[in-house]
Amino acid sequence: MSKKIFSGVQPTGNLHLGNFLGAIKNFVDLNKEKENECIFCVVDLHAITIKQDKGQLQNNIRETAATFIASGIDPNKSIIFNQSKVQAHAEGSWILSCMSPMGWLNRMTQFKEKAGKDKEKASVGLYIYPILMASDILLYDTTHVPVGEDQKQHLELTRDIAQKFNKDFNCEDFLKVPEPLIKKKFSRIMSLKDGLKKMSKSDPSDLSRINLTDTKDDIINKIKKAKTDSFAIPSEEHDLIDRPEAVNLLGIYSSISNQTLVKTLEEFGGKNFSDLKKDLAEVLTNKISPISDEIKKLINDKGYLDNILKQGASKAEEIAGKKIREMKKIIGF
Ligand code: AMP
Ligand code: TRP
């Protein structure tokens, strides 16, 4: 059955292996399935929920688009655009925020994490960020949303908002209730320095993550320095309990090699971490270095990237513009 796919990535710099394995690699696979209609959005309105440098934001928008293309998304088959170019996203977000109870938003754990201790100082935008995400998804009659595990709660909220809108305005099935596409395994890549912390763009230590623009030497060095424990690698999955760093490195190896954890444990069971690290650095450089080279090539071609984003925005505008007009009619505008 054909799927309507929508997903977004924030242009906040430092796109990393977690973004790749949790999200972008799946975008590429979905883009390859002939019957799917895919839309991949550089969510720049989401990015400004946290203060951004003006010039850097411009560069990051292009770099995120370049990363999509360098990873294997075909801009002739999928729509690639940046959110701020299609007005319906912000407008839809306002409408949906007027019918979303605060109680639902108060449950969002990512806001609590991002706002930190001083919630009073967090922006209102950061608080209602999941509603903008719901608007993104619902404007395109999306059926499936590929994301990493950390976005699961936001997708549940999107589903609730869609159902509430349809009920409140007595328009059954107007907003389509989307399904999350979250991989059962390896959907949460952890920091190389702490197996209990998510690999993240904002971690102050660059050694905690593999950036998609890292050189071969960077990758080898970061894997060499990755935290491990002092036991050998087990052959059985149940012997990995309470060994988060081992789970993470074995998970990354499995995911990059497209194989199960069981198979990876067969390969490395009884060996030392130095053996795993050597092979892991190799599979990572084989996969990431060509992407990294291509990103660097593409970001020098601003005209090409701007043109892809412009064409993408025009196609997105057609779909989202129609939906927002219908939505406004339903409300009574
Ligand atoms: P963001 O960079 O927050 O816009 O995230 C873009 C996509 O990458 C989302 O689908 C996230 O769920 C996914 N993602 C971000 N960090 C990780 C991680 N450490 N492991 C797996 N997926 C991630
Ligand atoms: N909130 C998502 C993240 O931080 C990014 C995002 C914005 C998104 N809009 C979206 C993801 C719509 C999927 C669909 O990762």
Side-chain angles (χ1 to χ4, degrees):
M1 202 189 68
S2 86
K3 301 187 186 95
K4 285 191 177 171
I5 309 287
F6 186 102
S7 196
V9 176
Q10 298 187 67
T12 37
N14 293 340
L15 282 178
H16 53 71
L17 188 65
N19 296 124
F20 182 72
L21 294 179
I24 299 170
K25 183 169 175 267
N26 308 328
F27 300 175
V28 176
D29 294 340
L30 289 161
N31 165 86
K32 276 191 195 132
E33 286 173 29
K34 220 167 81 207
E35 62 283 6
N36 291 343
E37 289 170 42
C38 301
I39 305 180
F40 300 113
C41 185
V42 180
V43 288
D44 49 7
L45 296 174
H46 277 101
I48 62 161
T49 54
I50 288 170
K51 196 171 183 321
Q52 301 294 324
D53 173 83
K54 186 177 164 188
Q56 201 57 43
L57 181 61
Q58 275 278 331
N59 290 337
N60 287 339
I61 291 168
R62 290 197 186 101
E63 187 169 312
T64 307
T67 304
F68 288 166
I69 299 165
S71 302
I73 295 170
D74 175 359
N76 293 315
K77 179 158 190 298
S78 296
I79 297 176
I80 297 176
F81 77 108
N82 59 317
Q83 193 186 26
S84 64
K85 288 288 192 290
V86 178
Q87 280 179 23
H89 291 250
E91 210 175 350
S93 174
W94 175 255
I95 292 171
L96 296 176
S97 70
C98 292
M99 31 108 357
S100 301
M102 282 177 69
W104 288 2
L105 281 168
N106 287 339
R107 281 190 225 127
M108 297 296 115
T109 53
Q110 194 176 79
F111 173 74
K112 291 177 197 162
E113 277 162 28
K114 286 198 178 175
K117 284 195 193 78
D118 200 353
K119 271 208 306 231
E120 298 289 316
K121 285 211 174 115
S123 70
V124 176
L126 188 66
Y127 180 66
I128 61 165
Y129 163 127
I131 302 184
L132 176 58
M133 176 163 166
S135 170
D136 297 342
I137 296 167
L138 299 174
L139 284 171
Y140 296 89
D141 293 340
T142 305
T143 61
H144 293 83
V145 186
V147 278
E149 207 266 337
D150 61 343
Q151 297 301 314
K152 190 166 175 228
Q153 198 184 29
H154 292 160
L155 284 177
E156 279 158 10
L157 180 77
T158 301
R159 291 168 57 89
D160 288 342
I161 291 176
Q163 279 160 334
K164 184 163 187 298
F165 184 98
N166 292 342
K167 192 157 163 272
D168 285 1
F169 294 100
N170 203 9
C171 53
E172 203 186 331
D173 222 26
F174 171 68
L175 293 180
K176 302 285 175 282
V177 182
E179 295 293 332
L181 281 181
I182 300 173
K183 282 195 308 179
K184 288 204 178 64
K185 294 256 174 188
F186 326 124
S187 60
R188 194 176 177 84
I189 304 298
M190 310 310 274
S191 156
L192 298 178
K193 287 282 150 199
D194 178 351
L196 297 174
K197 246 171 72 184
K198 203 176 68 168
M199 184 177 285
S200 144
K201 293 168 175 176
S202 55
D203 194 313
S205 168
D206 196 53
L207 288 175
S208 70
R209 64 181 162 261
I210 305 281
N211 299 307
L212 296 180
T213 47
D214 277 346
T215 63
K216 234 174 175 163
D217 287 346
D218 292 333
I219 295 174
I220 294 168
N221 183 39
K222 286 179 180 181
I223 294 299
K224 215 182 253 169
K225 293 201 168 131
K227 187 175 170 196
T228 54
D229 54 39
S230 47
F231 308 104
I233 297 167
S235 311
E236 305 287 337
E237 212 171 325
H238 61 78
D239 290 329
L240 281 169
I241 292 170
D242 290 334
R243 298 182 63 186
E245 284 82 18
V247 170
N248 192 39
L249 293 181
L250 289 160
I252 294 174
Y253 184 88
S254 310
S255 186
I256 282 277
S257 314
N258 288 318
Q259 65 183 33
T260 60
L261 184 59
V262 172
K263 172 91 195 350
T264 302
L265 289 174
E266 265 170 33
E267 231 176 293
F268 291 99
K271 291 188 178 169
N272 295 318
F273 278 106
S274 54
D275 301 312
L276 171 65
K277 283 182 165 185
K278 196 170 137 281
D279 289 6
L280 179 58
E282 193 179 320
V283 291
L284 276 172
T285 50
N286 284 345
K287 185 79 197 173
I288 303 299
S289 295
I291 296 176
S292 167
D293 292 344
E294 188 63 19
I295 295 173
K296 285 170 192 151
K297 212 167 86 193
L298 286 170
I299 47 181
N300 283 322
D301 197 345
K302 289 186 183 160
Y304 170 76
L305 292 172
D306 289 353
N307 194 34
I308 301 254
L309 288 169
K310 194 169 163 210
Q311 285 185 15
S314 146
K315 289 183 201 154
E317 164 63 38
E318 236 174 81
I319 306 169
K322 179 162 175 276
K323 193 75 181 177
I324 198 84
R325 283 193 293 279
E326 287 169 7
M327 205 166 165
K328 286 164 83 172
K329 214 162 148 192
I330 286 173
I331 291 167
F333 288 144

